[in-house]
Amino acid sequence: MSVTEGVLPPITTPMDESGDVDHEALRAHINRLEAAGVHGIIPCGSTGERATLTREEHERVIETTVDAASTPVLAGTGASSTQEAIELSTHAADVGADGVLVIYPYYSWPANDHVVRHYEAIADAVDVPLVIYNIPKRTARNLEPDATVRLADHPNIAGIKESAGDINQMYELLQRTRDKEFDVLSGYDSQALSTITLGGTGITSVAANVFPETVCELYDAARTGDLERGRELHEEILELESAMNLQTIPIAVKAALDIVGVHGPHVRPPLYEADPETREELESFLADRNPA
């Protein structure tokens, strides 16, 4: 399995009460997800609170993930600075990550022509596959299909995690890169079924942190053409995604993982733990379900 195929959860970064990264809990979380059937692990993404990790913490989380995981590791290594993204990506490759996931530079706000050069520079500098991460709601820029298609011709750019939330854009990307060695992954659980049935290769699923078996079953149904089962699971996953978004990701995700006994609910400021109302709603939601 490659870094662009299957169910690849962008995992939470467990923290203890003092706010330090809990590496033992991180290992246990990874082992649990792999036992449930996920096909890869994404550390240091948005769900992993990458933006508030120090450089040292970021690197150690990737090192722990590589050491703990038996499936491919797609390490989040994006940054506002091209040079920093190259350094983070080089480190990830050096410690054994199988690929790097690089977000559209936030805050710098480069135009699409400039961000093409940004991605090409990183892809030229590392010897593991690079996957683009397009999520306009966090970066205030959309990587337009024309730019993505240009990047798809780079031999070391393997695909895109498409989180624009626009199914028409998703389909355009699938259509225009069909004859290229370039994969398209769904960035949202709600678009997973349609992405896979239309030709996508992977699901980067937040909900899989809590319900890995359900998301893996959806992936299998979509890949094998069992659309009746796929539709049933799609409706269930819509409910899961809604629950995980009760508060800013990963607040509700970590609260849910705490409720089911995986790891603590602690997040890093400026995010704070789920409020009592959210936690009560999650407890009610999870009571009738049995996460793996």
Side-chain angles (χ1 to χ4, degrees):
M1 190 70 72
S2 76
V3 293
T4 56
E5 293 181 41
V7 176
L8 299 97
I11 59 170
T12 52
T13 301
M15 296 174 184
D16 61 25
E17 291 184 6
S18 64
D20 295 327
V21 175
D22 185 339
H23 287 270
E24 288 308 306
L26 176 61
R27 289 176 180 275
H29 187 32
I30 291 166
N31 293 339
R32 166 183 168 270
L33 293 172
E34 291 186 332
V38 305
H39 306 94
I41 301 291
I42 302 175
C44 296
S46 305
T47 309
E49 298 173 85
R50 178 269 177 270
T52 53
L53 296 177
T54 67
R55 175 70 171 269
E56 181 182 359
E57 287 174 328
H58 185 137
E59 292 180 349
R60 282 201 62 207
V61 166
I62 290 173
E63 290 165 11
T64 296
T65 302
V66 169
D67 186 61
S70 59
T71 56
V73 173
L74 179 61
T77 57
S80 290
S81 155
T82 301
Q83 183 58 39
E84 183 180 5
I86 289 172
E87 292 171 2
L88 288 168
S89 298
T90 299
H91 167 266
D94 287 347
V95 300
D98 301 282
V100 293
L101 179 67
V102 181
I103 196 170
Y104 195 120
Y106 42 87
Y107 193 77
S108 305
W109 223 44
N112 270 211
D113 283 348
H114 291 176
V115 89
V116 166
R117 294 164 63 182
H118 166 80
Y119 279 117
E120 289 174 340
I122 301 165
D124 287 342
V126 296
D127 58 3
V128 295
L130 182 152
V131 177
I132 300 160
Y133 180 15
N134 184 41
I135 183 164
K137 75 176 183 180
R138 288 189 180 263
T139 64
R141 285 282 194 188
N142 180 42
L143 187 65
E144 302 291 341
D146 285 349
T148 303
V149 172
R150 286 171 60 191
L151 289 167
D153 288 326
H154 192 289
N156 202 36
I157 296 180
I160 184 169
K161 175 185 175 181
E162 179 53 46
S163 301
D166 182 345
I167 194 63
N168 292 322
Q169 178 164 300
M170 177 77 77
Y171 182 66
E172 182 177 350
L173 291 176
L174 288 164
Q175 191 175 43
R176 294 179 64 184
T177 61
R178 191 165 290 148
D179 296 328
K180 301 178 184 292
E181 293 186 8
F182 185 83
D183 294 330
V184 178
L185 300 87
S186 171
Y188 289 123
D189 289 284
S190 56
Q191 295 186 348
L193 178 62
S194 53
T195 299
I196 300 302
T197 56
L198 289 169
T201 60
I203 305 169
T204 58
S205 169
V206 172
N209 277 276
V210 186
F211 294 92
E213 289 185 338
T214 302
V215 181
C216 288
E217 188 179 354
L218 173 73
Y219 174 78
D220 290 339
R223 292 285 284 180
T224 59
D226 186 356
L227 295 185
E228 181 176 354
R229 181 59 178 150
R231 283 192 293 269
E232 292 172 354
L233 291 163
H234 172 70
E235 291 179 6
E236 183 175 348
I237 283 172
L238 288 179
E239 295 179 359
L240 304 182
E241 185 178 57
S242 178
M244 296 306 100
N245 281 280
L246 285 172
Q247 287 191 255
T248 302
I249 288 174
I251 295 172
V253 183
K254 282 190 164 181
L257 289 169
D258 182 46
I259 291 166
V260 299
V262 175
H263 68 64
H266 315 295
V267 291
R268 181 165 289 178
L271 301 181
Y272 295 88
E273 289 180 29
D275 57 46
E277 293 79 12
T278 296
R279 191 171 179 98
E280 183 178 348
E281 188 169 348
L282 284 168
E283 288 173 347
S284 177
F285 177 80
L286 293 165
D288 297 327
R289 293 169 171 83
N290 183 30

